[in-house]
Amino acid sequence: VKISSITARAEALGLTRPYAIAFRTVSSVENVIVEIQADGGLLGLGAASPEPKVTGETAEICRASLGEGELAWLIGHDVRTLPALCRELSRRMPHAPAARAAVDIALHDLFAQSLGLPLADVLGRVHDALPTSITIGIKGVEETLAEASEYLARGFAILKVKIGDDLNVDLERLRRLREAAGPDVRVRVDANQGYTREETIRFFEETEDLGIEFVEQPVSAGSIDVLREFPEAIKERIAADESLLSEMDALALAAPPRACGIFNIKLMKCGGIWSALRIAAIAEAAGVDLMWGCMDESRISIAAALHAAFASPATKYLDLDGSLDLARDVSEGGFLLEAGFMKLLELPGLGVRLAVV
Ligand SMILES: [Mg+2]
């Protein structure tokens, strides 16, 4: 199964619903789509959605990393040597994790297709279906409630609310949301580094009766020591996102006394499935639960994250709503979303295909 050609192209995907989080407003989306062809007619698909504020990888760096000639070294390699190819990829592209993820995802897609199995089965599937949260950006109380009721009507049972601009406003929004949504809706929040240590403690105190599942990245990415000093009961309900890019970060966060109880893995931060599974193994060994998150991404890389998520016993939470608000996608298939639960299509590889335009 020799690799015969590789192409990459940037695609503007657009957003139907621009949104705000604690460090920026997002109104447009570009993904770089990678296609890897192998002898025998197999086509592997990958996609990159860089997040410069988190990883330092700009759209320009991402495009350049996947540009003319950069991937030519892969031509002629047998995709069944996947681990060696992934290791070489991470040596060659250390500073462009989303670009690396796009190639890594396409290679995994090809590899599993060559075996005739869904990728999750090749990786060691332990889950068949899990519910995903859907995200509500930072906005006013009434808009928050309106968006929540729309999502609940669509079958989602877990809401992830972006907070971190103003603690008092956040508390008011969450109180009103809990009143409106009732006790059964699961609510998790993401502060995107917006709180101080003191605000984080106050948030936990003042939301004790609101049934908040956990808080993603309350303090700045570099504040691992601040996390580490929180009481155990708080740490268990903190998910590291911007603090967790690489395997090294996972080791630092998990080292006793550990800094948090949950890791948010995103393929675009760590560089793809190969690194994600190494982080997942660290989490599993350390007793840390996994959440699988995403940027604004086509179905290609969302499906890739879902395959990887289903292959770790540590996986507990999904936050894979990144393709739902795209104005257009270049791909279809990959997964099903039914009553808020995500399932795979059970086709060889990722199960995604290019959309017929
Ligand atoms: Mg986050």
Side-chain angles (χ1 to χ4, degrees):
V1 191
K2 286 213 168 88
I3 294 169
S4 55
S5 80
I6 304 174
T7 61
R9 64 176 191 282
E11 292 273 1
L13 302 181
L15 275 182
T16 55
R17 196 196 293 264
Y19 61 90
I21 63 173
F23 59 73
R24 69 180 182 119
T25 297
V26 183
S27 52
S28 70
V29 173
E30 177 187 284
N31 279 195
V32 183
I33 308 301
V34 169
E35 297 181 29
I36 303 185
Q37 209 116 34
D39 293 342
L42 296 181
L43 173 66
L45 297 175
S49 182
E51 173 46 88
K53 284 265 167 55
V54 177
T55 65
E57 179 184 10
T58 60
E60 292 71 29
I61 292 174
C62 180
R63 276 190 242 115
S65 305
L66 297 169
E68 197 68 43
E70 294 294 330
L71 304 175
W73 64 273
L74 278 162
I75 309 265
H77 280 286
D78 192 316
V79 79
R80 292 172 299 182
T81 63
L82 179 72
L85 298 178
C86 291
R87 200 176 298 122
E88 178 63 11
L89 192 60
S90 85
R91 195 187 68 75
R92 286 174 180 258
M93 277 190 202
H95 304 302
R100 190 163 85 234
V103 181
D104 163 288
I105 290 166
L107 289 172
H108 278 83
D109 185 18
L110 262 184
F111 178 69
Q113 285 184 51
S114 76
L115 297 172
L117 289 172
L119 178 60
D121 289 319
V122 176
L123 303 176
R125 188 198 304 233
V126 285
H127 307 280
D128 288 311
L130 286 170
T132 183
S133 49
I134 186 155
T135 303
I136 300 175
I138 292 180
K139 50 184 63 180
V141 173
E142 298 310 323
E143 291 163 286
T144 299
L145 299 185
E147 195 168 324
S149 79
E150 181 202 322
Y151 291 148
L152 298 176
R154 280 163 59 185
F156 293 97
I158 313 175
L159 302 172
K160 171 167 146 174
V161 182
K162 292 287 191 179
I163 58 171
D165 244 6
D166 182 320
L167 175 57
N168 290 324
V169 174
D170 294 342
L171 293 170
E172 171 67 6
R173 280 173 80 211
L174 292 169
R175 229 172 265 129
R176 295 280 306 278
L177 176 62
R178 180 53 81 197
E179 277 167 26
D184 296 335
V185 172
R186 291 162 64 184
V187 177
R188 55 188 67 156
V189 297
D190 186 354
N192 288 110
Q193 316 178 62
Y195 288 164
T196 61
R197 177 185 172 279
E198 290 69 28
E199 287 172 322
T200 303
I201 292 174
R202 210 186 123 208
F203 180 89
F204 275 96
E205 284 170 357
E206 303 222 2
T207 57
E208 226 164 77
D209 57 339
L210 290 184
I212 304 295
E213 277 190 305
F214 58 81
V215 179
E216 229 181 293
Q217 197 70 43
V219 295
S220 65
S223 302
I224 292 184
D225 291 336
V226 171
L227 294 178
R228 192 162 268 131
E229 284 162 16
F230 280 137
E232 202 57 37
I234 287 185
K235 283 199 275 190
E236 288 312 298
R237 288 170 56 216
I238 287 180
D241 181 2
E242 289 92 328
S243 294
L244 172 74
L245 305 186
S246 64
E247 292 95 319
M248 194 64 104
D249 295 332
L251 283 173
L253 289 161
R258 71 181 188 201
C260 60
I262 306 165
F263 286 172
N264 181 345
I265 297 184
K266 295 176 181 167
L267 301 185
M268 299 303 148
K269 292 188 299 180
C270 69
I273 295 165
W274 188 66
S275 288
L277 294 174
R278 287 154 54 105
I279 293 172
I282 292 168
E284 188 187 346
V288 171
D289 292 330
L290 290 181
M291 163 184 200
W292 293 76
C294 58
M295 312 298 180
D296 295 303
E297 302 175 25
S298 87
R299 293 181 82 96
I300 298 169
S301 47
I302 298 293
L306 190 62
H307 281 273
F310 281 178
S312 172
T315 297
K316 197 164 170 194
Y317 309 106
L318 297 183
D319 180 35
L320 294 175
D321 59 350
S323 66
L324 305 179
D325 286 336
L326 297 179
R328 63 180 279 262
D329 201 341
V330 293
S331 58
E332 11 178 81
F335 60 86
L336 296 169
L337 183 59
E338 290 171 348
F341 276 74
M342 297 183 82
K343 293 176 198 167
L344 295 168
L345 275 186
E346 310 303 343
L347 297 167
L350 296 176
V352 290
R353 59 192 173 273
L354 290 172
V356 182
V357 193

